[in-house]
Amino acid sequence: MKKHIFNPGPCKLPEPVLENTANAVRELNQSGMSVMEVSHRGKDFEAVMEDAMSLLKELLDVPRGYSVLFLGGGASLQFAMIPMNFLKTKAAYLHTGTWAGNAIREAKVFGQVDVLASSEDKNFTYVPKGYRIPEDADYFHITTNNTIFGTEMLTDPDSPVPLIADMSSDILSRPVDVSKYAMIYGGAQKNMGPAGVTFIIIWDELLEKVADRPIPRILKYETHLSKGSMFNTPPVVNVYAVRETLLWVKNMGGVKEMEKLAKARADLLYKTIDESRMFVGTAVQEDRSRMNICFVMKPEYKELEPDFISYAAAKGIVGIKGHRSVGGFRASCYNALELQSVKLLADTMKEYEANKVK
Ligand code: PMP
């Protein structure tokens, strides 16, 4: 049975990405070798890496003076590398959820951290506003989409200090004004490909602001930039799949088209939730994420939640169980998820409700 994959990441990937990557695993460019067997320094793989970098720049309209890296270690390694490299005296962070909290925790290892605002008081159901960014902070860190709690910042904020954003779960879902950021990073495993590779878009001038502390070579951005992401052996299959995913986004019409599709998916699900007598959204309306749509059953139906998950699973709908810190359901609607899958989920919710609510 066809599965409708609402997993939060790793998640649904486009069919051509799976097919082309599988083919390259069998044989890369009639080389008689798999992408796993060729040298990462040979011309075939170098072309893949260069393509991936230039496609990401093209899709996000990255201005001159920025570089792209593909590294290992996930977004979580960046939580540590960022303060290790750039926190001299103090850094400012916005606390909007579990991942932001993890980033804050790592930064505290290296210096003073000013948490400018937090939405923890309401279980991260909103994105704080009205905070002031201190001009003497080394940088300001935000998480644009909070994967677990289903909130998202859909505009690029102004910041008087270098702005660094974790865009793990909403990269490539809308146009971004990259010039407002000193760094954008994330794990690839939502909109950019499989897990195991991290994308980094970094403003070259940020390298002039490196903290004066001993940093192992492999943990310095400068090391990776000077070697074009080839300081050590990159995750070759993953980079191949990222290249294919970026090509797919381009062929689909780019990030503007991705944004249209993201809006269509989210509008349909939120409309279904808002019109329901059984389901209710958890995030405040103005900060609702287009990527991770979180909802629960109203208290009088709460005990039916596990039953609904089984009911949906019988139709091939997988991955909708909410994270334990929110409960209920989370429908993750990343770029590769077809609108048809979202329609099926919406219809299934309506059908289930009609059976149970008399
Ligand atoms: N940031 C966000 C917003 C995430 O959603 C995740 C993982 N889902 C992470 C960071 C951690 O990423 P990784 O597992 O690649 O370290």
Side-chain angles (χ1 to χ4, degrees):
M1 182 205 289
K2 177 182 157 100
K3 296 285 186 206
H4 301 272
I5 306 171
F6 288 86
N7 287 341
C11 59
K12 168 102 186 133
L13 287 177
E15 278 310 317
V17 172
L18 302 181
E19 221 174 283
N20 297 347
T21 306
N23 287 337
V25 165
R26 287 189 200 97
E27 184 179 10
L28 179 65
N29 304 342
Q30 288 114 35
S31 62
M33 289 178 274
S34 161
V35 65
M36 296 193 286
E37 295 172 322
V38 298
S39 165
H40 64 292
R41 300 199 183 283
K43 67 172 177 25
D44 285 318
F45 185 75
E46 276 193 342
V48 172
M49 180 62 98
E50 277 166 24
D51 262 12
M53 289 174 168
S54 62
L55 277 164
L56 184 55
K57 283 187 174 172
E58 181 185 335
L59 288 169
L60 289 180
D61 207 4
V62 176
R64 278 168 181 271
Y66 285 77
S67 302
V68 169
L69 293 173
F70 292 109
L71 305 181
S76 300
L77 178 60
Q78 297 309 304
F79 293 165
M81 261 174 83
I82 290 162
M84 188 185 279
N85 282 262
F86 304 121
L87 199 168
K88 294 178 190 166
T89 47
K90 78 169 184 188
Y93 279 72
L94 195 62
H95 192 6
T96 50
T98 308
W99 299 111
N102 287 351
I104 290 167
R105 192 159 140 187
E106 296 298 342
K108 284 182 175 164
V109 173
F110 297 96
Q112 188 188 329
V113 175
D114 278 10
V115 176
L116 303 188
S118 165
S119 47
E120 195 168 11
D121 58 340
K122 293 194 174 146
N123 201 30
F124 303 112
T125 47
Y126 68 104
V127 176
K129 290 156 201 89
Y131 48 85
R132 201 187 63 80
I133 306 165
E135 296 197 2
D136 59 344
D138 295 317
Y139 61 85
F140 174 42
H141 181 281
I142 58 172
T143 311
T144 51
N145 184 69
N146 298 287
T147 323
I148 292 177
F149 299 93
T151 61
E152 187 173 10
M153 293 169 83
L154 285 165
T155 47
D156 306 305
D158 293 309
S159 169
V161 299
L163 178 63
I164 299 185
D166 173 357
M167 291 198 189
S168 293
S169 50
D170 62 350
I171 192 78
L172 300 171
S173 68
R174 65 172 174 94
V176 169
D177 181 354
V178 176
S179 70
K180 287 194 163 181
Y181 298 85
M183 180 172 159
I184 295 172
Y185 71 95
Q189 64 269 24
K190 277 87 158 138
N191 281 334
M192 210 188 284
V197 58
T198 314
F199 63 88
I200 295 160
I201 302 168
I202 188 166
W203 181 44
D204 298 333
E205 283 182 38
L206 192 60
L207 293 184
E208 290 159 21
K209 302 176 190 292
V210 173
D212 182 22
R213 65 167 62 87
I215 303 176
R217 268 200 310 160
I218 192 160
L219 298 177
K220 284 186 192 170
Y221 291 100
E222 193 189 345
T223 305
H224 297 286
L225 285 165
S226 68
K227 302 280 185 191
S229 273
M230 296 270 206
F231 168 66
N232 64 330
T233 321
V236 289
V237 180
N238 310 62
V239 173
Y240 191 92
V242 164
R243 198 268 302 256
E244 289 304 310
T245 310
L246 294 169
L247 265 178
W248 176 83
V249 173
K250 182 175 168 171
N251 292 337
M252 290 287 290
V255 289
K256 280 208 180 113
E257 189 58 29
M258 292 296 113
E259 183 175 44
K260 266 193 219 153
L261 296 172
K263 274 187 187 157
R265 285 186 294 258
D267 287 351
L268 174 58
L269 265 189
Y270 284 124
K271 183 168 182 284
T272 308
I273 292 166
D274 291 341
E275 288 174 359
S276 163
R277 285 185 290 157
M278 177 177 246
F279 299 99
V280 60
T282 56
V284 302
Q285 298 244 0
E286 62 178 359
D287 297 324
R288 281 173 163 181
S289 167
R290 291 176 188 152
M291 299 285 105
N292 310 99
I293 294 163
C294 295
F295 54 103
V296 294
M297 279 185 181
K298 291 184 178 167
E300 58 270 38
Y301 302 109
K302 196 94 193 139
E303 78 278 8
L304 291 175
E305 284 182 352
D307 185 55
F308 178 69
I309 289 181
S310 315
Y311 187 83
K315 295 175 187 278
I317 296 170
V318 299
I320 58 165
K321 190 172 189 311
H323 188 275
R324 62 187 175 281
S325 38
V326 180
F329 313 99
R330 168 176 52 174
S332 295
C333 300
Y334 297 117
N335 281 351
L337 185 74
E338 287 157 15
L339 187 59
Q340 175 211 341
S341 296
V342 180
K343 282 192 178 129
L344 178 69
L345 174 59
D347 291 344
T348 304
M349 289 163 71
K350 287 179 200 157
E351 187 182 285
Y352 187 81
E353 180 173 331
N355 289 339
K356 300 285 177 184
V357 182
K358 298 293 171 207

